[in-house]
């Protein structure tokens, strides 16, 4: 109170001369003066007479897990050698993945290393550590690299730091004499630069003095052989461990998570409706958001196939933008029939709507399933329950078989590579279908739910080249999707439905042209727009871009839905031409089965031709229109002189479609360049590589 009295006395003395000088001349002035004095008094007494601070205020900001010896909230070290030492790990498994396969393999290897040999290995996202600290890993430990190659020999996004460091290792002749390593590459031999990433990394390590513990191995997905190549590589690595002195032990199943049902845990809206909370927004990818489906239509005019044009509305998401040439990642949901089949096989149909709580068995384990959520949400949104079951899963599954006959059957198929290959070629073997084939009358009630969640792959997005121009349609993203359905050999005959393409067909409410019944999907409906659904999606940046200068000529080569980004390119150039911008010449090469039924966006291309006139030249190839099959690469070879002429004039060259087509196009251009320019094989390769390095030759391919 003494302090308060002294402050009040000080105020009165301080303001007294001013009060005397400005003595109120009226009642209004008097009220104003009193108000001023009260405000001043209130300011000086804040925290003493009123709004006293809570002595326990700081506790609101304490994390309860820090109390009583809980874990520290300090950021983990980015020094991999330090992390290995702190965690007493004997090895690190680096993964570099664009689609999640390398990550899945890395996690599987870590589990099996511990179960079979007691070897503790750290699973490491390559982007979580500073690549230069790899050189600090002591010789007593070793590193395993599982690295994917995608596109035209490109590393995955999360290995950008490793890729740059490898360049430094080569340029500065750095030494890595203490590094012992094992390397597996994942790639597709249909691509020109098959498994380039693992070759570049391993070559750099070898030159720098690192020791490869076993020869590098490459998995080839061209014929779907990635899983078998992985198993063969793993067997060789485990043989190495035995020679290194690790004693193999019986591998009983050890769960990496605890899964329990609860009736009281609250479920967030995101977890209930499948917003993928584990997904990390990055500099190349936007957040996942639900986008309203607009203006869906069928692009094929005849036949039993569907090709869907769908527009996704960005209006409710002002922070998300795209540029012409970018990709949209569509997150599908699993069909209801397959969800029911799996719940039936596990004997969990009655518990589908119960809340599931998933808890890691050890610290720093990351799961791509939210918790809490419901079991049907897990199977609908978060796991690839429609994917084929890897052979390794069959061997592990046998211990939980409901009877001796089922166990013997599963073990026999799992250990016999030829029989397994025959089974999956004849029948679409998902986990649910496998369980029902092996034990058609009895559910697998003894199969731990944790095992199911571990063995199924996490759901991954399917990427589509955006077929709209951000200049013309900045708030709507167009998707062009061919609906893919394959028939397994049988018997019995089995249809393998393309998961995402059929999901898009269903979301767009477009009738199927197929004679077979399409799967049923649950959609996010919107009340404010009758007949519309929402699709979970995100935008991914691409390097498949138009040149900055619109006067630069373009050569566009595509087949089928590879036309999608070129629809956007041509529409944007046509718009710029209409407003008076100088636009460069465009050569469009397009191939499909038939001119009448499969020529997607035919009307739009013809309209653009009317507007651009001679600035747009169109060369088409139809593989089933006549007796002789003609492909787009044949048209490129036929008009190679024109192509080379426009290239010499500074054109940008683009190819979009299947990898096999792109490789054929490369060969035809190389042959033409050798003949017309008189170049050797090495000179032609150097010429094309130069175009690619300068961004003048861009390829976007798949399969």
């Amino acid at each position: 109170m003494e302090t308060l009295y002294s402050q009040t006395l000080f105020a009165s003395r301080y303001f007294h001369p001013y009060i005397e000088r400005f003595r109120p001349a009226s009642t209004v002035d008097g009220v104003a003066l009193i108000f001023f004095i009260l405000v001043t008094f209130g300011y000086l007494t804040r925290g003493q007479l009123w709004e006293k601070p809570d002595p326990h205020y700081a506790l609101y900001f304490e994390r309860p897990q820090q109390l009583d010896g809980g874990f520290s909230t300090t950021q983990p070290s980015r020094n991999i050698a330090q992390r290995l030492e702190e965690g007493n790990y004997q090895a690190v498994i680096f993964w570099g993945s664009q689609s999640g396969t390398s990550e899945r393999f890395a996690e599987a290897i870590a589990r099996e290393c511990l179960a079979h040999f007691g070897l503790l290995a750290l699973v490491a996202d390559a982007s979580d550590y500073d690549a230069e600290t790899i050189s600090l890993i002591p010789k007593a430990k070793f590193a395993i690299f599982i690295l994917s190659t995608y596109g035209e020999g490109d590393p995955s996004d999360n290995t950008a730091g490793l890729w740059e460091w490898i360049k430094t290792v080569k340029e500065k002749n750095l030494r890595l004499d203490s590094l012992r390593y094992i390397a597996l590459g994942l790639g597709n031999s249909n691509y020109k630069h098959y498994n380039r990433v693992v070759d570049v990394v391993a070559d750099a390590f070898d030159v720098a003095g690192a020791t490869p513990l076993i020869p590098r191995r490459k998995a080839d997905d061209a014929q779907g052989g990635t899983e078998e190549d992985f198993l063969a590589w793993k067997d060789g690595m485990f043989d190495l461990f035995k020679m290194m002195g690790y004693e193999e032990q019986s591998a009983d199943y050890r769960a990496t998570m605890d899964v329990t049902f609860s009736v009281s845990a609250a479920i967030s809206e995101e977890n209930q409706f499948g917003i993928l909370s584990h997904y990390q927004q990055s500099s190349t990818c936007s957040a996942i958001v639900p986008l309203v489906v607009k203006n869906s239509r069928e692009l094929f005019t005849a036949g039993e196939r569907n090709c869907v044009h769908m527009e996704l509305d960005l209006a409710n998401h002002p922070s998300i933008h795209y540029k012409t040439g970018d990709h949209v990642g569509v997150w599908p949901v699993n069909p209801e029939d397959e969800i029911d089949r799996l719940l039936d096989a596990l004997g969990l149909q009655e518990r589908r709507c119960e809340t599931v709580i998933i808890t890691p068995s050890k610290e720093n384990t990351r799961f791509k399933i939210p918790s809490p959520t419901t079991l049907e949400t897990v199977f609908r949104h978060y796991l690839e329950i429609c994917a084929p079951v890897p052979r390794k899963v069959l061997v592990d599954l046998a211990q939980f078989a409901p009877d001796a006959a089922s166990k013997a059957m599963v073990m026999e198929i799992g250990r016999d590579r030829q029989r397994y290959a025959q089974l999956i070629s004849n029948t679409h073997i998902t986990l649910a279908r496998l369980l029902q084939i092996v034990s058609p009358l009895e559910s697998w009630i003894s199969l731990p739910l944790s095992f199911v969640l571990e063995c199924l792959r996490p759901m991954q997005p399917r990427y589509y080249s955006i077929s709209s121009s951000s200049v013309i349609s900045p708030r709507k993203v167009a998707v062009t999707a061919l609906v893919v359905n394959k028939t397994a050999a049988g018997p019995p005959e089995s249809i393998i439905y393309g998961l995402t393409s059929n999901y898009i067909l269903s979301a767009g409410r477009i009738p199927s042209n197929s004679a077979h019944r399409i799967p049923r999907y649950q959609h996010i409906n919107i009340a404010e727009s009758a007949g519309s659904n929402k699709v979970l999606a995100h935008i991914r940046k691409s390097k498949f871009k138009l040149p900055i200068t619109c006067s630069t000529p373009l050569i566009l080569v595509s087949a089928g839905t590879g036309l999608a980004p070129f629809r956007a390119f041509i529409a944007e150039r046509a718009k710029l031409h209409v407003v008076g911008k100088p636009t460069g010449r465009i050569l469009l090469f397009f191939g499909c089965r038939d001119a009448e039924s499969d020529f997607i966006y035919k009307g739009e291309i013809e309209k653009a031709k009317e507007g651009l006139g001679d600035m747009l030249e169109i060369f088409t190839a139809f593989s089933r229109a006549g007796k002789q099959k003609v492909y787009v690469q044949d048209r490129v070879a036929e008009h190679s002189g024109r192509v080379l002429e426009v290239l010499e004039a500074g054109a940008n060259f683009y190819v979009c479609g299947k990898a096999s087509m792109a490789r054929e196009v490369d060969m035809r251009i190389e042959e033409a360049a050798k003949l017309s320019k008189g170049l050797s094989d090495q000179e032609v390769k150097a010429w094309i590589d130069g175009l690619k390095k300068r961004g003048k030759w861009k390829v976007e391919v798949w399969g």
Side-chain angles (χ1 to χ4, degrees):
M1 290 299 295
E2 290 181 3
T3 303
L4 176 61
Y5 173 78
S6 61
Q7 288 177 340
T8 307
L9 182 61
F10 167 79
S12 64
R13 289 175 178 174
Y14 180 82
F15 289 112
H16 180 72
Y18 300 97
I19 294 172
E20 288 297 321
R21 185 181 303 175
F22 300 105
R23 186 174 296 278
S26 66
T27 303
V28 174
D29 290 342
V31 171
L33 180 61
I34 293 171
F35 178 75
F36 175 75
I37 293 172
L38 290 174
V39 169
T40 304
F41 179 79
Y43 175 78
L44 293 173
T45 58
R46 180 186 179 190
Q48 298 180 53
L49 292 182
W50 65 284
E51 203 176 85
K52 292 184 178 182
D54 184 349
H56 305 292
Y57 180 69
L59 296 179
Y60 288 117
F61 301 96
E62 286 188 2
R63 300 184 180 184
Q65 61 265 35
Q66 288 180 282
L67 305 176
D68 302 322
F71 66 82
S72 172
T73 59
T74 57
Q75 289 295 319
S77 172
R78 291 186 59 83
N79 183 321
I80 187 60
Q82 180 182 339
R83 184 74 183 88
L84 293 177
E85 193 64 33
E86 290 173 347
N88 199 28
Y89 294 101
Q90 295 149 286
V92 56
I93 308 171
F94 285 108
W95 59 267
S97 183
Q98 202 69 16
S99 63
T101 304
S102 295
E103 181 180 8
R104 178 168 59 87
F105 285 169
E107 291 170 347
I109 286 293
R111 287 196 300 269
E112 293 192 46
C113 283
L114 185 60
H116 286 273
F117 299 98
L119 192 159
L120 187 61
L122 172 67
V123 177
D125 181 334
S127 64
D128 286 345
Y129 296 91
D130 296 326
E132 59 268 21
T133 63
I134 292 173
S135 64
L136 304 177
I137 297 175
K139 205 160 190 173
K141 303 178 187 294
F142 60 93
I144 301 172
F145 295 85
I146 306 178
L147 304 174
S148 297
T149 299
Y150 82 102
E152 286 299 289
D154 299 318
S156 59
D157 292 342
N158 75 310
T159 52
L162 173 65
W163 197 247
E164 290 301 314
W165 177 65
I166 289 296
K167 292 179 183 177
T168 303
V169 170
K170 293 192 292 186
E171 291 169 0
K172 296 186 177 181
N173 297 318
L174 300 180
R175 300 299 300 171
L176 302 172
D177 297 299
S178 66
L179 177 64
R180 299 188 302 160
Y181 77 94
I182 300 169
L184 172 69
L186 307 186
N188 188 315
S189 60
N190 284 331
Y191 290 75
K192 186 175 181 179
H193 300 285
Y194 169 58
N195 259 313
R196 174 173 175 256
V197 171
V198 74
D199 279 338
V200 169
V201 171
D203 286 347
F205 284 167
D206 293 347
V207 171
T211 303
L213 295 177
I214 56 175
R216 78 190 72 161
R217 181 127 187 178
K218 302 175 184 178
D220 187 2
D221 199 41
Q223 301 299 326
T226 297
E227 293 284 346
E228 288 296 335
D229 291 339
F230 167 70
L231 292 178
W233 170 77
K234 185 193 70 175
D235 289 343
M237 183 168 60
F238 284 1
D239 289 340
L240 168 72
F241 292 164
K242 295 173 189 176
M243 292 189 294
M244 293 172 67
Y246 290 100
E247 184 176 347
E248 190 169 14
Q249 54 198 32
S250 59
D252 295 329
Y253 171 66
R254 300 181 186 181
T256 61
M257 64 181 80
D258 296 322
V259 184
T260 57
F261 288 93
S262 171
V263 294
S264 60
I267 303 175
S268 69
E269 185 177 358
E270 289 81 3
N271 289 0
Q272 180 66 44
F273 292 102
I275 303 296
L276 290 97
S277 55
H278 69 267
Y279 173 83
Q280 297 295 318
Q281 184 176 346
S282 67
S283 59
T284 58
C285 292
S286 74
I288 300 174
V289 291
L291 300 178
V292 178
V293 175
K294 297 281 189 179
N295 304 326
S296 297
R297 68 179 190 270
E298 175 60 51
L299 296 176
F300 286 167
T301 57
E304 295 185 355
R305 301 187 304 157
N306 289 86
C307 190
V308 178
H309 172 90
M310 172 187 287
E311 294 177 6
L312 303 176
D313 195 353
L314 297 175
N316 295 326
H317 305 280
S319 63
I320 296 181
H321 306 274
Y322 79 98
K323 296 293 183 183
T324 305
D326 281 346
H327 305 144
V328 57
V330 176
W331 292 82
V333 302
N334 289 308
E336 295 301 296
D337 292 349
E338 199 66 29
I339 297 170
D340 287 336
R341 184 178 286 113
L342 182 55
L343 289 168
D344 287 339
L346 297 173
L348 293 172
Q349 187 67 254
E350 295 182 356
R351 309 194 74 172
R352 64 183 299 155
C353 295
E354 290 187 28
T355 301
V356 175
I357 297 177
I358 303 170
T359 308
S361 299
K362 60 181 180 178
E363 189 181 319
N364 297 324
T365 301
R366 295 186 299 179
F367 294 120
K368 296 192 174 181
I369 303 172
S371 180
T373 186
T374 63
L375 191 57
E376 68 173 0
T377 299
V378 170
F379 289 157
R380 181 176 292 121
H381 291 281
Y382 292 96
L383 297 173
E384 298 267 11
I385 68 171
C386 293
V389 180
R391 184 165 60 90
K392 174 63 172 64
V393 172
L394 272 68
V395 177
D396 296 336
L397 190 66
Q399 60 188 303
F400 305 112
D403 53 57
S406 300
K407 180 176 182 178
M409 184 177 179
V410 172
M411 288 294 291
E412 184 179 350
I413 299 172
R415 289 175 174 173
D416 188 334
R417 178 172 179 175
Q418 296 302 322
R419 183 170 180 186
Y420 170 80
Q422 182 181 14
L423 177 65
I424 64 173
S425 67
N426 291 341
T427 311
H428 183 206
I429 295 297
T430 63
L431 177 61
R433 296 180 189 212
L434 173 71
L435 297 179
Q436 290 185 336
I437 288 173
V438 172
S439 179
L441 301 178
E442 192 171 351
S443 298
W444 291 62
I445 56 175
S446 62
L447 179 60
L449 188 53
S450 58
F451 180 93
V452 176
L453 303 188
E454 289 169 355
C455 76
L456 291 171
R457 307 174 189 176
M459 183 69 81
Q460 295 294 328
R462 275 62 167 179
Y463 287 102
Y464 295 87
S465 300
I466 295 175
S467 52
S468 55
S469 163
S470 58
V471 171
I472 301 171
S473 180
R475 303 310 299 158
K476 286 183 181 177
V477 173
V479 177
T480 306
L482 176 68
V483 180
V484 180
N485 296 315
K486 299 178 181 179
T487 303
E493 187 177 89
S494 176
I495 305 300
I496 305 174
Y497 294 99
L499 176 64
T500 310
S501 60
N502 278 284
Y503 171 62
I504 288 174
L505 180 72
S506 176
R509 301 180 186 274
I510 297 174
S512 172
N513 292 330
S514 172
H516 302 282
R517 181 181 65 87
I518 65 169
R520 296 180 300 113
Y521 296 91
Q522 185 186 87
H523 296 286
I524 306 173
N525 298 307
I526 52 173
E528 64 269 22
S529 180
S532 294
N533 293 317
K534 286 184 178 181
V535 169
L536 293 176
H538 71 275
I539 303 298
R540 184 177 72 178
K541 293 181 180 178
S542 165
K543 297 178 182 178
F544 201 72
K545 299 292 188 184
L546 283 166
I548 296 174
T549 307
C550 60
S551 59
T552 302
L554 307 177
I555 302 170
L556 313 176
V557 183
S558 65
T561 54
L563 183 62
F566 298 154
R567 172 190 184 251
F569 286 10
I570 292 170
E572 189 163 310
R573 279 292 178 90
K575 179 70 173 180
L576 294 172
H577 181 74
V578 167
V579 300
K581 295 286 186 180
T583 53
R585 186 174 299 278
I586 302 174
L587 306 186
L588 172 64
F589 292 87
F590 173 69
C592 62
R593 293 184 179 184
D594 184 83
E596 299 304 319
S597 61
D598 294 7
F599 193 161
I600 61 176
Y601 302 119
K602 182 178 180 181
E604 294 182 20
I605 298 297
E606 291 174 346
K607 185 176 180 180
K609 170 68 176 172
E610 292 175 5
L612 290 168
D614 294 339
M615 300 298 291
L616 173 60
E617 299 178 56
I618 304 172
F619 308 93
T620 55
F622 305 110
S623 61
R624 301 190 184 182
K627 293 182 179 180
Q628 186 175 0
K629 293 185 177 182
V630 179
Y631 297 101
V632 69
Q633 55 264 33
D634 300 323
R635 290 289 185 235
V636 171
E638 183 182 337
H639 299 278
S640 59
R642 187 83 179 99
V643 171
L644 292 174
E645 175 191 339
V646 180
L647 271 175
E648 290 293 338
N652 276 23
F653 188 86
Y654 299 85
V655 183
C656 186
K658 288 190 174 181
S660 55
M661 178 273 291
R663 191 172 61 247
E664 287 285 336
V665 169
D666 274 17
M667 291 170 57
R668 303 301 175 88
I669 297 294
E670 289 174 4
E671 290 169 4
K674 283 190 286 187
L675 289 174
S676 66
K677 296 172 172 287
L679 301 176
S680 65
D681 290 344
Q682 292 77 11
E683 289 171 330
V684 168
K685 184 179 183 302
W687 171 64
I688 292 180
D689 287 346
L691 291 173
K692 291 179 178 180
K693 286 179 181 178
R694 299 199 305 274
K696 304 292 288 182
W697 185 303
K698 296 178 181 291
V699 179
E700 188 164 276
V701 294
W702 57 85

